[in-house]
Amino acid sequence: MTTKGDAGAVAPASESYYVAHQKIYPREVSGRFQRLRTAAVWILLGLYYLLPWINLHCRQSVLFDLRARQFYIFEMVLWPQDFIFLTWLLVLAGLSLFFFTAVAGRLWCAYACPQTVWTEVFLWLERLAEGGRARRLKLDAAPWSASKLARKGGKQLLWITFALWTGFTFVGYFSPIRDLGLRVLQFELGPWETFWSLFYGFATYGNAGLLREQVCKYMCPYARFQGAMFDKDTLIITYDAGRGEPRGARRRGADAKATGLGDCVDCRACVQVCPTGIDIRKGLQYECIACAACVDACDEVMDRVGMPRGLVRYTTQHALDHKTTHVLRPRIIVYGSLLALLFVGFIVALALRKPVGLDVIRDRNALYRLLDDGRIENVYTVKILNKSERAHEFTLTVHGDGEYSIDPLVPRYSVAPGSVYPAILRVRRPAWGSVSGSGTIRFEVVAEDDPRIHAAHEARFLAPAQ
Ligand code: SF4
Ligand code: SF4
């Protein structure tokens, strides 16, 4: 009996499409790329865990206050009206991913992806509790004993504590973290804060502790489509088969030429350090996250056997084929130019962003009112948004074709930092003046202490047709 696969290939019924998961025990590695990865872990996780504890202007420096609909990012306060910047930032991030992938392959996966970064820490905690690769293999194969229980339990304790701290920090970006910490100590955490702390902690534990390389292999969409951004000039990690083959073990100091062997001593160090469990000598595989652990491992071996480094290295397909590598090519120029344009636009738009916003809504219950003194009156709801970090006194004026007057006569509003001031304003115009019918009027607010802080809004003034 036979079965048909997705691709239409006929497979014997006994052949299973399900491959049982094999636990990977990556060996510890040292070297220049490992040092780079460690530095990335310290910097990125250091920022993640420390940022919410840093205060600025008596408030948390980075806080996404969903309830107040305000995002605080250092000196900047973003309002719902500013969400274009967030969209802009996401587009920039997406384009950067395209650009850097086309130039240097899976840089993101290797050094900055949260999955890689947190997995490094979970691996480190695992080594702390259970020891290096050989000891872990032995421990897993050994029957349960008090010592095995203590080591496995110790690892779980470290993992769970770290995961919970991660979940707590995540919620600390949305709810002031110092207050949150106090409430955790007093067991007074709200239901949503509890849920998200546990959820994010559990997700970290599951992804970085249990699933690890399976997230990259089977769950990450980027791993699937990044191949489409590669070309023969993209930097990849590869094994130099021309130099390494035929591979084989040899006696120390033996002349490789005389034995007819290539430079690969078939020690499998590159396989043992691989966090996704692949053999780079089989060529570029989508499972490879370009972490360069195999580069460090092979360099160490080459140093030991007295051969030049770089049997496994960062290179391009063109370089391997002894052709010229082109750094500047059409897709790099297009991605690079777009990225530069968007980045400059983002910085300029941020710099020109106004610290005050003005919103004017005409009272929709009445078109207009004819007053006893013969004037026409329209009523508006005015909202002044003080997006800055200081309180300001704002003066409001109204301009348009005709003699407009307002009530209150000199509208002054004191608006606290990061708040909205709603006010009712009556605008009047003589019915007998030089202007007749409806028209457009312009509302303007100016901060009394700094005329550069101003905003304007146009609205319709309705009047009977003459
Ligand atoms: S093959 Fe090398 S670069 Fe790729 S994931 Fe494995 S160790 Fe990292
Ligand atoms: S580490 Fe280098 S020498 Fe050892 S098996 Fe891998 S490629 Fe060959």
Side-chain angles (χ1 to χ4, degrees), residues 239-240 244-245 247 250 263-271 279-281 294-295 297-299 301-302 305 307 311-312:
Y239 164 69
D240 188 344
E245 299 297 320
R247 68 186 78 157
R250 67 214 65 183
D263 283 1
C264 175
V265 297
D266 205 14
C267 61
R268 293 183 61 80
C270 53
V271 184
D279 186 344
I280 190 69
R281 295 172 301 170
C294 52
V295 178
C298 191
D299 280 351
V301 174
M302 290 294 110
V305 297
M307 281 190 273
L311 178 56
V312 180

Side-chain angles (χ1 to χ4, degrees), residues 74 123 146 151 163 200 259 261 279 308 311 335 395 416-417 422 435 455:
F74 298 105
L123 271 172
R151 286 185 178 279
Y200 200 82
T259 57
L261 293 170
D279 186 344
L311 178 56
Y335 289 157
T395 308
V435 178

Side-chain angles (χ1 to χ4, degrees), residues 313-422:
R313 62 178 184 273
Y314 272 109
T315 186
T316 66
Q317 190 56 50
H318 270 153
L320 276 181
D321 299 340
H322 305 292
K323 291 182 183 157
T324 314
T325 296
H326 304 94
V327 178
L328 279 184
R329 41 200 204 276
R331 72 166 72 188
I332 301 291
I333 295 170
V334 171
Y335 289 157
S337 315
L338 271 176
L339 195 61
L341 266 175
L342 275 174
F343 184 71
V344 171
F346 180 72
I347 297 295
V348 170
L350 259 188
L352 297 178
R353 185 175 154 269
K354 289 194 168 170
V356 58
L358 179 64
D359 204 13
V360 179
I361 303 164
R362 220 180 56 77
D363 180 8
R364 294 191 207 284
N365 291 326
L367 289 178
Y368 53 81
R369 231 156 51 94
L370 283 171
L371 302 182
D372 292 345
D373 59 8
R375 287 184 298 169
I376 306 157
E377 180 184 88
N378 281 204
V379 181
Y380 299 86
T381 303
V382 175
K383 284 183 181 168
I384 305 168
L385 279 79
N386 182 3
K387 301 183 198 173
S388 73
E389 296 269 345
R390 280 187 299 136
H392 291 289
E393 185 102 355
F394 290 99
T395 308
L396 198 147
T397 50
V398 176
H399 311 275
D401 289 339
E403 300 155 38
Y404 289 96
S405 60
I406 44 182
D407 176 17
L409 212 50
V410 189
R412 269 206 192 94
Y413 307 106
S414 180
V415 190
S419 61
V420 184
Y421 191 102

Side-chain angles (χ1 to χ4, degrees), residues 37 237 270-271 273-281 283 285 287-295 312:
R37 270 206 324 281
I237 287 178
C270 53
V271 184
V273 296
C274 179
T276 63
I278 59 168
D279 186 344
I280 190 69
R281 295 172 301 170
Q285 295 145 73
E287 294 97 331
C288 173
I289 58 166
C291 67
C294 52
V295 178
V312 180

Side-chain angles (χ1 to χ4, degrees), residues 82-409:
D82 298 319
F83 268 36
I84 181 74
F85 290 107
L86 219 57
T87 317
W88 205 325
L89 215 57
L90 288 177
V91 174
L92 269 176
L95 208 58
S96 308
L97 196 63
F98 286 5
F99 176 72
F100 288 111
T101 305
V103 173
R106 295 176 73 169
L107 270 191
W108 162 259
C109 300
Y111 299 99
C113 172
Q115 176 63 20
T116 315
V117 169
W118 266 301
T119 301
E120 280 281 332
V121 180
F122 274 74
L123 271 172
W124 181 71
L125 294 175
E126 188 173 63
R127 274 186 215 118
L128 207 67
E130 296 183 0
R133 174 184 150 90
R135 288 184 69 178
R136 289 205 307 277
L137 277 163
K138 215 166 127 193
L139 187 72
D140 277 2
W144 280 99
S145 63
S147 142
K148 181 167 175 172
L149 201 67
R151 286 185 178 279
K152 292 273 174 197
K155 176 179 85 175
Q156 291 301 331
L157 193 70
L158 287 173
W159 277 9
I160 291 170
T161 310
F162 184 67
L164 285 178
W165 183 32
T166 305
F168 164 77
T169 306
F170 175 75
V171 175
Y173 278 95
F174 298 90
S175 180
I177 200 160
R178 288 160 198 264
D179 175 54
L180 196 71
L182 271 179
R183 283 187 290 127
V184 169
L185 294 178
Q186 294 161 355
F187 298 101
E188 284 178 1
L189 222 52
W192 283 109
E193 289 158 337
T194 310
F195 171 78
W196 283 111
S197 299
L198 293 178
F199 180 83
Y200 200 82
F202 176 72
T204 310
Y205 173 89
N207 288 334
L210 301 180
L211 294 175
R212 293 186 188 169
E213 81 289 347
Q214 295 180 76
V215 173
C216 312
K217 276 173 153 177
Y218 309 119
M219 291 160 72
C220 176
Y222 173 59
R224 303 276 159 177
F225 73 76
Q226 46 88 26
M229 288 180 255
F230 280 30
D231 57 26
K232 290 189 169 179
D233 291 304
T234 301
L235 209 55
I236 49 171
I237 287 178
T238 190
Y239 164 69
D240 188 344
R243 180 185 147 190
E245 299 297 320
R247 68 186 78 157
R250 67 214 65 183
R251 277 204 316 280
R252 186 178 277 270
D255 180 5
K257 281 207 179 82
T259 57
L261 293 170
D263 283 1
C264 175
V265 297
D266 205 14
C267 61
R268 293 183 61 80
C270 53
V271 184
Q272 289 170 4
V273 296
C274 179
T276 63
I278 59 168
D279 186 344
I280 190 69
R281 295 172 301 170
K282 290 182 182 162
L284 185 63
Q285 295 145 73
Y286 84 89
E287 294 97 331
C288 173
I289 58 166
C291 67
C294 52
V295 178
D296 281 334
C298 191
D299 280 351
E300 207 180 308
V301 174
M302 290 294 110
D303 287 349
R304 249 192 331 226
V305 297
M307 281 190 273
R309 288 179 164 200
L311 178 56
V312 180
R313 62 178 184 273
Y314 272 109
T315 186
T316 66
Q317 190 56 50
H318 270 153
L320 276 181
D321 299 340
H322 305 292
K323 291 182 183 157
T324 314
T325 296
H326 304 94
V327 178
L328 279 184
R329 41 200 204 276
R331 72 166 72 188
I332 301 291
I333 295 170
V334 171
Y335 289 157
S337 315
L338 271 176
L339 195 61
L341 266 175
L342 275 174
F343 184 71
V344 171
F346 180 72
I347 297 295
V348 170
L350 259 188
L352 297 178
R353 185 175 154 269
K354 289 194 168 170
V356 58
L358 179 64
D359 204 13
V360 179
I361 303 164
R362 220 180 56 77
D363 180 8
R364 294 191 207 284
N365 291 326
L367 289 178
Y368 53 81
R369 231 156 51 94
L370 283 171
L371 302 182
D372 292 345
D373 59 8
R375 287 184 298 169
I376 306 157
E377 180 184 88
N378 281 204
V379 181
Y380 299 86
T381 303
V382 175
K383 284 183 181 168
I384 305 168
L385 279 79
N386 182 3
K387 301 183 198 173
S388 73
E389 296 269 345
R390 280 187 299 136
H392 291 289
E393 185 102 355
F394 290 99
T395 308
L396 198 147
T397 50
V398 176
H399 311 275
D401 289 339
E403 300 155 38
Y404 289 96
S405 60
I406 44 182
D407 176 17
L409 212 50

